[in-house]
């Protein structure tokens, strides 16, 4: 179904399935006032991680992906209020501590791909000038350089 589908659909108890995709983010602090939040941090992280792994490249696409996959997402978490708006995603991720988020993200990747632990992957991204117009989205290129193996992956 998608890049994370194989991770999520392994047979396991419901409680473990709900947590597995977010392992690594347990220590991420939610900077919002908890009594004023409609959308739990875990739900927003799940949508953002899955959407980005499925080619969402901005908060509008993340929110749209989440709305489109809401019933599937409810297999893992309640989503009682549905999926947050693109503005809510933008605000939340703008408030998160970038160093703490990076540490959590690295833990998450190491759990997904344990063979990469201790290795360096340099990520670079570019938006191609002149690639948008007449209603078309701008073209983005992302490169990942595996330092130890000398291999580049581009998308």
């Amino acid at each position: 179904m998608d890049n994370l589908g194989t991770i999520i659909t392994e047979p396991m108890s419901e409680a473990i399935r709900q947590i597995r995709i977010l392992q690594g983010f347990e220590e991420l602090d939610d900077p919002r006032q908890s009594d004023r939040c409609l959308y739990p941090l875990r739900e927003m992280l799940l949508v953002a991680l899955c959407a980005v792994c499925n080619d969402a490249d901005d908060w509008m696409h993340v929110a749209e992906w989440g709305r489109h996959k809401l019933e599937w997402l409810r297999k893992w978490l309640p989503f009682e209020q549905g999926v947050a708006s693109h503005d809510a995603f933008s605000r939340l991720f703008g408030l998160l501590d970038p160093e703490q988020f990076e540490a959590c993200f690295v833990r998450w990747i190491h759990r997904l791909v344990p063979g990469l632990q201790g290795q360096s992957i340099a990520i670079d991204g570019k938006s191609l000038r002149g690639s948008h117009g007449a209603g078309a989205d701008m073209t983005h290129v992302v490169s990942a350089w595996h330092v130890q193996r000398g291999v580049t992956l581009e998308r």
Side-chain angles (χ1 to χ4, degrees):
M1 176 175 186
D2 56 47
N3 297 343
L4 294 177
T6 57
I7 296 162
I8 295 174
T9 58
E10 293 176 9
M12 59 186 78
S13 75
E14 184 65 24
I16 300 218
R17 275 193 297 188
Q18 288 183 4
I19 296 169
R20 178 123 189 222
I21 191 71
L22 297 174
Q23 283 181 346
F25 289 94
E26 302 90 352
E27 296 173 18
L28 185 62
D29 295 327
D30 189 342
R32 302 171 297 168
Q33 295 176 347
S34 61
D35 59 330
R36 299 180 78 194
C37 295
L38 289 177
Y39 305 99
L41 177 64
R42 292 170 51 87
E43 290 179 0
M44 293 184 75
L45 281 172
L46 179 62
V47 172
L49 292 170
C50 291
V52 168
C53 287
N54 282 281
D55 295 329
D57 59 3
D58 61 27
W59 297 124
M60 294 262 288
H61 288 121
V62 167
E64 182 180 308
W65 185 92
R67 285 190 301 274
H68 181 69
K69 297 290 189 177
L70 183 57
E71 290 308 310
W72 181 81
L73 289 164
R74 285 184 168 145
K75 292 179 183 179
W76 320 115
L77 293 170
F79 287 89
E80 292 173 359
Q81 301 297 323
V83 173
S85 70
H86 69 281
D87 287 332
F89 279 102
S90 179
R91 278 191 303 274
L92 171 65
F93 279 84
L95 290 171
L96 292 175
D97 179 306
E99 291 177 4
Q100 187 184 37
F101 183 82
E102 179 184 13
C104 292
F105 185 80
V106 168
R107 274 195 304 275
W108 180 69
I109 290 295
H110 286 165
R111 286 185 176 147
L112 291 178
V113 190
L116 292 178
Q117 194 142 3
Q119 299 185 32
S120 300
I121 298 181
I123 307 288
D124 182 40
K126 296 177 177 32
S127 296
L128 301 180
R129 184 184 310 180
S131 64
H132 69 288
D137 290 335
M138 182 172 276
T139 301
H140 305 285
V141 177
V142 176
S143 299
W145 168 257
H146 189 283
V147 175
Q148 286 78 6
R149 295 193 180 156
V151 175
T152 301
L153 299 173
E154 288 192 26
R155 173 143 169 101

